[in-house]
């Protein structure tokens, strides 16, 4: 399904309001976005072309991270803020290693849910589930039946929060949200996270991204390395620690221009 043509979208999708998931889809070269999403994305790209490079580097980090976690024996994944499906999704990477891997996708955008459910309609029953949920309500996430079933056996679970926490305002206390979710995970579980930053931007460039997202359905809050590191309090970071997405166990050395993409990334293990 694509909304890139002139077909009228369902009203509940609010096509007139830019949405981060659809803007991200545009950065990745997808077609599942509306004119408002494309206009907002182009506004940001015109002044910050590295945004597209960062988005693609983040997607590659997701794939490497899931592959690494599956290699560590993880068979259960909770992916919050999954975004519009594209090649190399979490369940695809995990099930390459463990065909019986179980994944629960959670997102609050109707278009994401439509695409995800269509994509997964042919999957083995119970192996992959798509749930409508909002990260700002961790109690509801943990109360969801699919999530409870995933956590019930007490086996290690990977909680995936890729490029979503920077859309949670400080007023919603994102660190408390992550703590609540991690506290519910069994011992030996993992938190894999990526988060946008302005650490590599000049002072006069730092307001551009948040300004573009001001009229979107979620606002952008870029955080420093120190602020992102706090999400991993009490966890044991896997090597190489907290680095940019392009530097986290790359398949090949990143180009010098890509090494400092504006997204921090790490994986931590719950003792």
């Amino acid at each position: 399904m694509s909304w890139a043509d002139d077909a009228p979208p369902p009203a509940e999708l609010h096509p007139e309001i830019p949405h981060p998931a659809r803007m991200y889809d545009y950065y990745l070269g997808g077609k599942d976005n509306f004119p408002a999403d494309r206009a907002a994305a182009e506004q940001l790209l015109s002044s910050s072309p590295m945004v597209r490079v960062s988005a693609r580097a983040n997607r590659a980090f997701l794939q490497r991270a899931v592959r690494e976690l599956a290699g560590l024996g993880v068979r259960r994944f909770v992916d919050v803020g999954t975004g519009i499906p594209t090649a190399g999704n979490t369940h695809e990477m995990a099930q390459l290693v463990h065909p019986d891997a179980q994944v629960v996708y959670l997102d609050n955008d109707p278009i994401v849910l439509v695409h995800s459910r269509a994509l997964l309609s042919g999957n083995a029953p119970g192996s992959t589930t798509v749930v409508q949920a909002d990260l700002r309500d961790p109690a509801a996430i943990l109360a969801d039946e699919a999530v409870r079933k995933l956590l019930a056996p007490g086996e290690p679970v990977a909680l995936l929060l890729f490029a979503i926490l920077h859309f949670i305002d400080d007023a919603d206390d994102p660190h408390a949200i992550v703590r609540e979710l991690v506290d519910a995970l069994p011992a030996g579980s993992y938190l894999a996270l990526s988060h946008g930053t302005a650490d590599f931007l000049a002072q006069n460039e730092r307001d551009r991204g948040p300004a573009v997202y001001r009229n979107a359905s979620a606002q952008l809050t870029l955080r420093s390395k120190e602020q992102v590191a706090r999400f991993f309090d009490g966890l044991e970071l896997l090597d190489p620690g907290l680095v940019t997405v392009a530097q986290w166990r790359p398949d090949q050395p990143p180009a010098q221009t890509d090494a400092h993409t504006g997204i921090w990334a790490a994986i931590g293990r719950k003792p």
Side-chain angles (χ1 to χ4, degrees):
M1 180 184 298
S2 171
W3 303 111
D5 53 25
D6 294 328
E12 65 270 19
L13 297 181
H14 298 293
E16 74 284 0
I17 301 174
H19 192 286
R22 301 192 296 261
M23 291 172 67
Y24 186 66
D25 174 72
Y26 181 76
Y27 298 143
L28 294 176
K31 297 181 179 179
D32 300 304
N33 43 72
F34 302 124
D37 305 311
R38 298 191 285 277
E42 283 295 341
Q43 182 183 349
L44 183 55
L45 288 169
S46 66
S47 60
S48 304
M50 281 296 290
V51 168
R52 176 166 279 140
V53 176
S54 295
R56 292 174 177 174
N58 183 70
R59 187 68 188 179
F61 166 65
L62 176 154
Q63 294 166 353
R64 295 195 307 276
V66 173
R67 195 169 63 230
E68 292 280 351
L69 290 165
L72 290 170
V74 178
R75 287 176 164 81
R76 296 168 179 265
F77 297 80
V78 177
D79 187 345
V80 185
T82 175
I84 295 171
T86 186
N89 294 291
T90 296
H91 72 281
E92 293 171 326
M93 304 308 296
Q95 291 169 3
L96 281 175
V97 182
H98 301 296
D100 61 343
Q102 299 180 51
V103 178
V104 176
Y105 288 112
L106 302 102
D107 205 287
N108 68 348
D109 183 17
I111 196 172
V112 171
L113 300 173
V114 168
H115 280 264
S116 296
R117 287 168 177 160
L119 175 72
L120 301 172
S121 61
N123 266 39
S127 63
T128 310
T129 308
V130 182
V131 174
Q132 184 165 11
D134 194 314
L135 181 56
R136 289 167 294 190
D137 190 353
I141 290 175
L142 295 171
D144 182 83
E145 182 180 2
V147 175
R148 286 191 293 106
K149 286 182 178 179
L150 203 71
L151 298 176
E155 298 176 8
V157 172
L159 172 63
L160 311 180
L161 300 174
F162 295 116
I164 182 175
L165 284 164
H166 48 237
F167 294 115
I168 304 297
D169 294 337
D170 288 337
D172 291 315
D173 200 347
H175 292 94
I177 290 172
V178 173
R179 280 197 301 274
E180 184 171 348
L181 292 173
V182 170
D183 285 348
L185 301 179
S189 293
Y190 295 86
L191 168 65
L193 179 155
S194 63
H195 194 298
T197 185
D199 286 355
F200 305 108
L201 297 177
Q203 190 63 42
N204 63 345
E205 298 177 316
R206 297 190 172 201
D207 293 333
R208 291 176 182 172
V212 170
Y213 281 91
R214 199 162 292 140
N215 295 320
S217 60
Q219 279 62 62
L220 180 67
T221 302
L222 300 175
R223 296 187 171 93
S224 67
K225 186 175 185 179
E226 291 72 22
Q227 291 172 313
V228 176
R230 285 181 51 208
F231 290 113
F232 294 94
D233 285 353
L235 304 182
E236 303 164 349
L237 288 183
L238 303 188
D239 289 336
L242 182 61
V243 295
T244 63
V245 285
Q247 295 171 319
W248 200 92
R249 301 190 186 185
D251 294 326
Q252 56 187 11
Q256 186 174 359
T257 55
D258 297 350
H260 296 303
T261 48
I263 303 178
W264 292 115
I267 296 180
R269 181 181 182 276
K270 182 177 180 178

